[in-house]
Amino acid sequence: MATVSSLTPASSVAVVRVESAPFAEHAYVVHRPDRSDCVVVDPGFETGDLIDAIVERGLTPAAILLTHGHSDHIAGCHAVRRRWPGVPILVGRDDADKLVDAVANLSAAFGVAITAPPADRLLDDGDQIDFAGLPLTVIALPGHSRGHVVFVLAGHPIVVLGGDVLFHEGIGRTDFPDGDFNSLATGIRSRLYAFGPDTVVLPGHGPPTTIGHERIHNPFVPAVD
């Protein structure tokens, strides 16, 4: 059974985190407290618990946002789309192939072919999107995968829906076929560490963290001032 928890990373936004086995992947349901629509970020394997969490809160997804196309982050797309037909799926342009290719999204290597519906919109660095009253900036951060993106919500503090880029005192793996440590480290330092220290990062695995904490304590990508 998935672990469902509520987070309040900023006063103007509510977040439900659904942690799915077997990779302890985090799907996020993000919404304004005064609205009934939401975005779903990286729906994972345990879709029954994810859908229940959405329905129990009286929410309706306005979009499925994917930080990247690895199987543990896309496994729930079909189920969410069946429950809410027509909800658009957005992913970084260079990870679009992973949604429909079990080899590219790494699920074939585990003996289970997992795919998702094709993306309705491909995202590029600097794109501005707005669903459920949540204006988000797209930042391309390759290294864990070629087309990885993060979603940045302006506010006090800023909230980054970060996927598998920057973890609490860790980073995403870079040993996959299209991974690259130098690209990941450069992106973290130049793009994420540029945000203020109180910026909250909601990662694809592990607990939330802040940019201030990681600049000081991340052993893989220490800040270079």
Side-chain angles (χ1 to χ4, degrees), residues 53-216:
I54 297 169
V55 172
E56 288 168 2
R57 289 162 175 80
L59 300 172
T60 300
I64 298 170
L65 308 181
L66 303 176
T67 61
H68 63 296
H70 288 157
S71 57
D72 55 330
H73 290 254
I74 68 169
C77 287
H78 276 300
V80 175
R81 176 70 72 79
R82 282 193 297 268
R83 178 62 177 78
W84 291 279
V87 59
I89 297 172
L90 291 78
V91 71
R93 183 176 302 278
D94 289 336
D95 261 22
D97 62 318
K98 294 182 175 65
L99 274 60
V100 296
D101 185 336
V103 173
N105 69 36
L106 307 179
S107 62
F110 293 93
V112 180
I114 293 168
T115 59
D120 298 284
R121 178 173 172 182
L122 303 183
L123 300 171
D124 296 304
D125 186 54
D127 281 352
Q128 304 288 324
I129 58 175
D130 193 329
F131 294 95
L134 300 165
L136 299 163
T137 300
V138 178
I139 295 179
L141 276 171
H144 176 68
S145 74
R146 181 176 59 252
H148 199 298
V149 299
V150 304
F151 301 98
V152 180
L153 177 64
H156 303 285
I158 294 168
V159 177
V160 177
L161 295 154
D164 290 359
V165 172
L166 184 65
F167 299 150
H168 176 75
E169 298 181 14
I171 59 172
R173 290 176 57 171
T174 59
D175 58 343
F176 295 130
D178 60 347
D180 182 79
F181 173 79
N182 289 333
S183 294
L184 184 65
T186 297
I188 290 171
R189 289 193 178 103
S190 65
R191 308 299 299 275
L192 295 187
Y193 284 178
F195 290 111
D198 61 345
T199 298
V200 175
V201 179
L202 301 180
H205 306 267
T209 189
T210 66
I211 293 300
H213 183 89
E214 298 311 314
R215 283 180 58 88
I216 296 171

Side-chain angles (χ1 to χ4, degrees), residues 213-224:
H213 183 89
E214 298 311 314
R215 283 180 58 88
I216 296 171
H217 297 290
N218 195 292
F220 301 96
V221 187
V224 178

